[in-house]
Amino acid sequence: MKTPARLIPLVEDGLIDEVLRPLMNGKEAAVYVVRSGDEIRCAKVYKDMDKRSFKKAALYREGRKVGNSRRARAMEKGSKFGREKSEEAWQNAEVDALYRLAAADIRVPKPYGCFDGVLLMELVTLPDGQVAPRLNDVTLDAEQALKDHATLIESIKRMLCIGLIHGDLSEFNVLVDEHGPVIIDLPQAVDAAANNNAFFMLNRDINNITQYYGQYAPELLETRYSPEMWSLYKEGRLEMNTELTGEFAEPDGEADVDSVMEEIQAVLSEERERVARANAEDFEDF
């Protein structure tokens, strides 16, 4: 196929030998299957800020280190320089998260670097070489659902242990290969200690995953991993080897969190339906 303009510099620099085919064209990025030497990889081409649809990016940027005060002020004002630095920060957040998660034994695509707005990384495949499907496209039995849910809860816990929250985790950005779930799409990764929305996003991530697997294993819907995990994290007692129970009792005298969570769940359900419709309409798989 004809090499897309954004990938030409990587071809010229020898990072890519051949662009084989487009894989997906989404609102945030276009992904291509490429060949680098003897390896088949994928190249994620980030779209320009004015062409993206991630309207609440500011919520995710809160607490991120941006280098210096001049850069931070420019990003807040939205100047040309500021927009350029916002783009760099957005892209670098995913690259940084991928390296940190891989080092923490969390299954993510192996990154090979980000070059001029193009993230080169591992292509997750099945044994026959086909691209691994998204979780949303996989049918599970109860046993497999329980196993894979436990795997993702462990991954979310390990992410929190290193100070990160995915921030947009759902069945649409988890791939499933022969070994289980692989987490993808991390440009919005949140600093758990510095973002005021951290617990809301952690809770949303866990609820999204639990609700999806809960359709196959309904007993998962009764678990309370997010408040358990967050409570341990705030107390400094969450560690890589911490065994979670999925149970959590509110301390005496605190607000009725359950009723608040029910309201949040209703809003999240509507949002997930909207996301599902958006994915069906706006993502083109090739």
Side-chain angles (χ1 to χ4, degrees):
M1 63 168 287
K2 181 179 179 181
T3 303
R6 294 280 298 279
L7 295 181
I8 291 176
L10 278 73
V11 173
E12 293 176 341
D13 290 342
L15 296 167
I16 293 175
D17 291 300
E18 183 181 5
V19 180
L20 301 177
R21 62 184 178 90
L23 177 61
M24 186 176 69
N25 186 21
K27 292 181 177 180
E28 314 302 325
V31 182
Y32 297 88
V33 178
V34 302
R35 181 177 61 82
S36 296
D38 295 329
E39 295 187 4
I40 303 300
R41 301 175 178 175
C42 66
K44 182 175 183 178
V45 181
Y46 293 99
K47 294 187 176 180
D48 294 336
M49 182 182 295
D50 58 356
K51 295 180 180 178
R52 293 207 309 258
S53 61
F54 211 77
K55 303 298 184 183
K56 298 181 180 180
L59 295 177
Y60 296 85
R61 288 198 301 266
E62 180 183 332
R64 286 184 180 174
K65 297 178 181 179
V66 295
N68 56 54
S69 57
R70 174 174 175 263
R71 180 177 299 180
R73 289 195 301 271
M75 290 170 66
E76 290 177 1
K77 292 180 180 178
S79 64
K80 181 179 179 181
F81 174 76
R83 290 195 299 273
E84 291 175 352
K85 295 307 173 185
S86 293
E87 282 295 283
E88 289 180 12
W90 183 260
Q91 296 163 14
N92 290 337
E94 179 159 29
V95 180
D96 177 64
L98 287 172
Y99 279 111
R100 290 176 64 185
L101 267 58
D105 292 328
I106 299 168
R107 296 198 70 213
V108 293
K110 180 179 179 180
Y112 295 103
C114 192
F115 313 91
D116 296 323
V118 179
L119 172 59
L120 191 60
M121 57 185 170
E122 172 191 6
L123 180 67
V124 181
T125 61
L126 300 175
D128 62 2
Q130 295 295 312
V131 177
R134 290 186 298 182
L135 177 57
N136 184 58
D137 297 321
V138 174
T139 300
L140 305 168
D141 58 29
E143 181 180 1
Q144 192 65 50
L146 289 169
K147 179 181 178 181
D148 288 357
H149 178 266
T151 297
L152 282 177
I153 290 296
E154 175 68 15
S155 295
I156 294 169
K157 182 199 77 177
R158 297 179 78 84
M159 287 179 68
L160 189 55
C161 284
I162 62 173
L164 287 179
I165 296 170
H166 186 286
D168 194 33
L169 191 61
S170 74
E171 64 270 26
F172 299 107
N173 42 36
V174 173
L175 301 179
V176 183
D177 67 7
E178 62 177 323
H179 302 295
V182 180
I183 295 173
I184 62 171
D185 292 339
L186 288 145
Q188 71 293 315
V190 169
D191 184 327
N195 192 301
N196 289 323
N197 303 288
F199 174 67
F200 173 79
M201 294 180 188
L202 174 71
N203 186 64
R204 182 176 61 186
D205 284 354
I206 292 177
N207 282 343
N208 282 345
I209 292 302
T210 299
Q211 287 178 15
Y212 184 79
Y213 285 112
Q215 66 184 311
Y216 301 107
E219 59 267 39
L220 291 173
L221 300 176
E222 303 300 320
T223 58
R224 303 198 65 198
Y225 284 106
S226 56
E228 178 189 16
M229 205 180 294
W230 188 250
S231 177
L232 291 169
Y233 173 74
K234 287 196 303 179
E235 295 169 2
R237 297 193 294 119
L238 186 68
E239 299 178 354
M240 291 294 187
N241 61 356
T242 298
E243 293 187 9
L244 301 173
T245 65
E247 300 176 358
F248 182 78
E250 301 293 343
D252 293 338
E254 291 206 0
D256 182 7
V257 177
D258 283 340
S259 61
V260 176
M261 289 301 177
E262 288 177 3
E263 295 180 10
I264 293 175
Q265 288 289 347
V267 174
L268 290 177
S269 294
E270 294 178 2
E271 176 65 8
R272 292 180 72 241
E273 291 176 3
R274 183 195 66 76
V275 171
R277 291 194 298 271
N279 274 271
E281 295 171 358
D282 298 313
F283 281 85
E284 300 176 3
D285 293 312
F286 296 86

